Amino acid sequence: MNDTSQSRLSSKDLTLGYATSKILEHVDIAIPDGKITALIGANGSGKSTLLKTLGRILQPIEGTVFLDGKAIASIPSRDIARALALLPQSPISPDGLTVRQLCRFGRHPHKGMLARITRHDEEIVEHAIAATGLTDLTERPLDRLSGGQRQRAWIAMALAQQTPILLLDEPTTYLDIAHQLEVLELLRELNRKQGRTIVMVVHDLNHAAQYADHIVAVANGGIHAAGRPTDLLRPALIKIVFGVDAMVIPHPIDGTPLCLPFASGQ
Amino acid sequence: MNVDVMSRTTNRIDLRALTTGLIALGLILVIAVLAMTIGAVTLSIGQVLDGLAGGKSAFIVTQYRVPRVAISILAGGSFGVAGVFLQGALRNPLASPDVVGITKCAGLGAFLAGILTPPAWAIWAVPSGVFAGAMIGALILLTVGRSFGGGIAALALVGVALGLFAQALMQYVMVLFPTRADQAMIWLAGSVYGSTGTKVVALAIWLALCLPLVIVASMKLDAGGFADDTLISLGISPGLLRGGLIIVSVLLTAGAVASVGSMGFLGLLAPHAARLMVGARARHLVPVSALLGALTLSAADLVGRIIALPNEIPAGIVAAVIGGPYLIFLLIKEAGRHE
């Protein structure tokens, strides 16, 4: 593996999809601990399916996902929920929840069947809300938040879950540029300051280049390549993964690869 | 400052739930008193109290009017809570034990039990039929729904199909046994007529047995509003959560149907009205929905008894006639608030 010294979350020989149509085959992936990993790939390539399988939302047809060396299917769901949290692309919440009430659900895996929220839980919830910059909106219902604020509220719930690993399915979809950067900066901060392992499906190649330490390119029914953004993001790879021609230049501000796709006809 | 804002918001919502609950409770009491005084023989409140204490009107009060009021309250409350749980389980405000076929299966079970057993057995055969029907219906709903992936849409659609099937079977049986059809029709419309003390005690015991389950279900109800992927991420089994809520809903529905017949409409109306009044959080929604269910059924029975004297209109029909327009009124009011 590339720069993966340690990996709590990995898979061996995964086959994903439906009995009749397989989406991905022979997937071996190791998520580097303490790093930001971006899954990239064309629409329908299976990157989101892969993320959901790593987060045991979907079961693989064949193969195994490993968490701390154990097959994830053999670990009780509540135990997994203390190690990893998955934020879906368009999460649905119960009606009328406030930010605080949403985040309290994040404490569920740490509590008994019918245990109540304790002072300790409440402190963790408030900490999670503060970390996402929502303290002033703690008592506001989710449906009265902007798209970016709502996404941060969901991230706060995942933080209250206190999992070392955080999986996010396209966390910036439906957000405008300012809010996209806001969410990505927040994720980077959580990674750098708290050392959380982050795995996210990203649509925008340049976001992946700027924010990820490790990129996994999904194409043609499998993992096409994996590695550091500077090593990986080359015109040839973009052509194979997305089917477009592109120029790659160093980003004028931070030197990360900047991909400039163009239509072949021009 | 933050804490201040928090307590203010929480207090305001709590206060509204509390006021709504108290008003509903007050109305239930008023109707209960009216229902004990009004009837073929009009009694004064003093005579009712006297009768309760074993005085002159004891027979009419304790044998006839009290059971009827008590059954209306218990069964109405059960329908209300059953509806809340089912709507929460299926994450669909249009779900009710009626819509997903549970009450129809229960009705079919009761009808078959009534026809296939000697009349003398009816006192236990019919409730047994109700439970068998409701449970078999729920089992089919959960198994078939699961084979389609157990998703919300699958459960709802299977339920609708199941209800139609049970209804068709019932109509077929009614054609086969036309002499029993009248009795079945009244029972299907739902009526509190003929409530006895024994029925009250039976329903009260049943509900007391269900109470622990109802409390657990209420604590878990809010989580039902998440999509399955979030539930799994939180370590909650969606199947267990939704299946559990459905089972508790079926138990309550079966108890209520066994006492008053099929009044599934209440399971739709009460939760809806409660949600529009006090919001969707379980801690407010469940008790207010129970109170509104009880209020609607007792009001409907009172109206049904006096509006067409000396005849009676089954409470189920009155509830639908009053409740339907009221629900539309609430929805219009709610829509207006969002604009």
Side-chain angles (χ1 to χ4, degrees), chain B residues 14 32 197:
Chain B
D14 276 346

Side-chain angles (χ1 to χ4, degrees), chain A residues 56-57 77-78 81 85-86 88 92-95 97 100-102 105-106 108-109 113-114 135 139 154 157 161, chain B residues 2 5-6 9-10 91 216 219-220 222-237 275 280-281:
Chain A
R56 54 86 170 81
I57 305 286
S77 187
R78 185 185 288 260
L86 184 141
I92 296 169
S93 74
D95 286 339
L97 283 194
R100 180 195 297 276
Q101 287 161 348
L102 176 73
F105 279 101
H108 180 273
M113 239 304 263
L114 299 168
T135 303
E139 308 305 332
W154 282 97
M157 174 174 106
Q161 211 171 324
Chain B
N2 190 30
V5 173
M6 178 189 86
T9 327
T10 327
R91 239 179 51 220
V216 174
M219 292 174 76
K220 296 283 164 189
D222 281 332
F226 286 111
D228 288 1
D229 45 13
T230 304
L231 290 177
I232 296 174
S233 172
L234 288 170
I236 302 171
S237 157
R275 192 174 291 112
R281 303 302 311 287

Side-chain angles (χ1 to χ4, degrees), chain B residues 165-285:
Chain B
F165 181 68
Q167 189 167 8
L169 266 183
M170 188 139 46
Q171 282 163 347
Y172 177 66
V173 178
M174 279 160 80
V175 171
L176 284 186
F177 299 90
T179 48
R180 309 292 278 271
D182 282 358
Q183 172 200 339
M185 291 289 279
I186 289 179
W187 202 77
L188 282 179
S191 171
V192 189
Y193 179 78
S195 298
T196 60
T198 323
K199 272 191 174 179
V200 176
V201 172
L203 180 57
I205 291 175
W206 177 251
L207 294 180
L209 291 176
C210 290
L211 191 63
L213 293 174
V214 170
I215 291 170
V216 174
S218 303
M219 292 174 76
K220 296 283 164 189
L221 179 63
D222 281 332
F226 286 111
D228 288 1
D229 45 13
T230 304
L231 290 177
I232 296 174
S233 172
L234 288 170
I236 302 171
S237 157
L240 203 61
L241 175 69
R242 301 196 195 286
L245 287 171
I246 291 174
I247 296 287
V248 179
S249 176
V250 169
L251 292 175
L252 291 174
T253 304
V257 170
S259 320
V260 301
S262 169
M263 273 191 241
F265 180 77
L266 280 177
L268 182 65
L269 172 80
H272 249 296
R275 192 174 291 112
L276 295 177
M277 288 174 187
V278 300
R281 303 302 311 287
R283 51 185 300 203
H284 303 143
L285 183 60

Side-chain angles (χ1 to χ4, degrees), chain A residues 67-113:
Chain A
L67 177 66
D68 294 327
K70 281 205 282 188
I72 208 163
S74 71
I75 309 175
S77 187
R78 185 185 288 260
D79 293 351
I80 302 170
R82 285 194 289 262
L84 66 84
L86 184 141
L87 182 54
Q89 188 179 348
S90 319
I92 296 169
S93 74
D95 286 339
L97 283 194
T98 64
V99 174
R100 180 195 297 276
Q101 287 161 348
L102 176 73
C103 291
R104 280 181 185 153
F105 279 101
R107 299 304 301 153
H108 180 273
H110 300 273
K111 317 206 57 76
M113 239 304 263

Side-chain angles (χ1 to χ4, degrees), chain B residues 97-179:
Chain B
D98 198 31
V99 174
V100 301
I102 302 293
T103 46
K104 292 190 181 102
C105 290
L108 179 64
F111 194 37
L112 286 177
I115 283 171
L116 300 177
T117 58
W121 294 9
I123 187 135
W124 58 266
V126 170
S128 309
V130 166
F131 283 96
M135 279 303 161
I136 291 170
L139 214 63
I140 296 175
L141 177 67
L142 291 175
T143 354
V144 180
R146 201 188 175 96
S147 71
F148 288 125
I152 311 255
L155 281 173
L157 285 173
V158 170
V160 170
L162 184 67
L164 290 174
F165 181 68
Q167 189 167 8
L169 266 183
M170 188 139 46
Q171 282 163 347
Y172 177 66
V173 178
M174 279 160 80
V175 171
L176 284 186
F177 299 90
T179 48

